[in-house]
Amino acid sequence: MQQKPFVFTFTNLNTYDDTCAWQFFRVYIKRDIPYVATPEMDWGNKVHDAFERRLGGNVPLPADMRQWEPFAAPFDGYKPKVEAKLGITREGRPTGFFDNDVFGRVKVDAAVIQGPVAAMADWKTGNSKYEKPFELEIGAMFLKAHNPNITVVRGRYIWLKNNRAGQEYDLSNFNSTWARVNNIVERIQDDMASGEWEKKKSPLCGWCRVFDCENNTNPKRD
């Protein structure tokens, strides 16, 4: 059976580049590690759905999320793009999320475009931590591809559990982001050709679901 072409997302690029190439291979290429939805994931999906209804349909946030209204209110009157599913081709052109020529996919939580300027927000339901804006940079790059007149994109993470907005980032260096994405993809393709995937030993091995790896220290392994 012919293998499907690799399609990048922030999540799979980050798994390869920042977590472990072997985990990436098992989850996204070999795909022998089953997907397991956690209560935290289910809650995150409910929160994203609620913000989509609030920003896209003016449906009030549920009672247990009402404290986050101050993060939704600034979007009122701007017709924001919410949970926007965007695709990009190998040449960096816009395409559909599931089109045959899709090379990368992203889902933008919330964005407002005003002429050449865009603003993005990414809802986070986990614990606030050290921020790495690569996820926002990828979202901005996709916004640019689908809206060529954009020249400036600013964005931030919204840490809902901690009820705070993160740092604002200038995400406008689209060419640099594109180069970084392609560098990671090329390394993935090299590993696919060689069949060699690095097993990176780190504290994250305590949460890994690749239980047959010798570096795995997840207590659920046994």
Side-chain angles (χ1 to χ4, degrees):
M1 182 181 295
Q2 186 175 6
Q3 191 176 62
K4 292 182 179 180
F6 172 67
V7 177
F8 80 82
T9 65
F10 164 74
T11 301
N12 61 36
L13 293 185
N14 188 63
T15 300
Y16 177 87
D17 192 51
D18 196 53
T19 305
C20 176
W22 180 246
Q23 183 188 110
F24 165 88
F25 167 68
R26 297 291 296 275
V27 174
Y28 297 105
I29 304 299
K30 191 175 182 181
R31 297 183 181 181
D32 64 341
I33 306 299
Y35 173 81
V36 178
T38 65
E40 292 80 9
M41 291 176 182
D42 290 340
W43 172 243
N45 290 333
K46 289 178 182 177
V47 170
H48 278 76
D49 290 344
F51 270 95
E52 181 177 12
R53 293 191 296 271
R54 168 62 181 84
L55 272 59
N58 203 30
V59 178
L61 291 171
D64 58 349
M65 303 180 194
R66 201 68 50 81
Q67 70 273 21
W68 298 326
E69 175 61 23
F71 297 122
F75 289 93
D76 290 346
Y78 288 101
K79 297 182 179 179
K81 297 180 180 295
V82 291
E83 299 297 320
K85 294 181 178 180
L86 306 177
I88 200 171
T89 69
R90 188 66 185 83
E91 296 73 32
R93 294 192 294 267
T95 191
F97 197 76
F98 293 111
D99 282 2
N100 290 333
D101 62 351
V102 68
F103 173 61
R105 298 186 180 112
V106 77
K107 187 158 65 173
V108 175
D109 290 353
V112 170
I113 301 173
Q114 295 282 287
V117 178
M120 293 173 48
D122 191 317
W123 318 120
K124 294 297 183 186
T125 55
N127 291 317
S128 175
K129 56 186 177 180
Y130 176 71
E131 296 186 351
K132 293 182 288 185
F134 188 38
E135 183 175 13
L136 292 171
E137 291 166 353
I138 289 178
M141 181 183 73
F142 276 72
L143 278 181
K144 167 69 173 178
H146 284 258
N147 302 273
N149 291 332
I150 290 176
T151 58
V152 175
V153 181
R154 297 185 179 92
R156 64 177 76 217
Y157 298 109
I158 306 297
W159 299 99
L160 298 169
K161 188 174 181 178
N162 303 98
N163 206 38
R164 72 173 185 89
Q167 176 183 338
E168 182 180 76
Y169 296 95
D170 185 341
L171 310 168
S172 310
N173 198 342
F174 313 112
N175 290 335
S176 176
T177 303
W178 182 238
R180 182 178 177 184
V181 165
N182 278 279
N183 174 266
I184 299 172
V185 170
E186 287 170 7
R187 286 158 50 207
I188 289 171
Q189 291 172 336
D190 287 345
D191 285 1
M192 291 175 70
S194 69
E196 297 179 1
W197 304 86
E198 179 186 4
K199 295 180 179 180
K200 182 177 179 181
K201 190 173 183 179
S202 78
L204 294 176
C205 295
W207 284 267
C208 183
R209 292 186 295 112
V210 185
F211 294 135
D212 58 2
C213 176
E214 62 270 24
N215 295 329
N216 192 294
T217 56
N218 190 332
K220 296 181 180 179
R221 181 182 186 181
D222 300 325

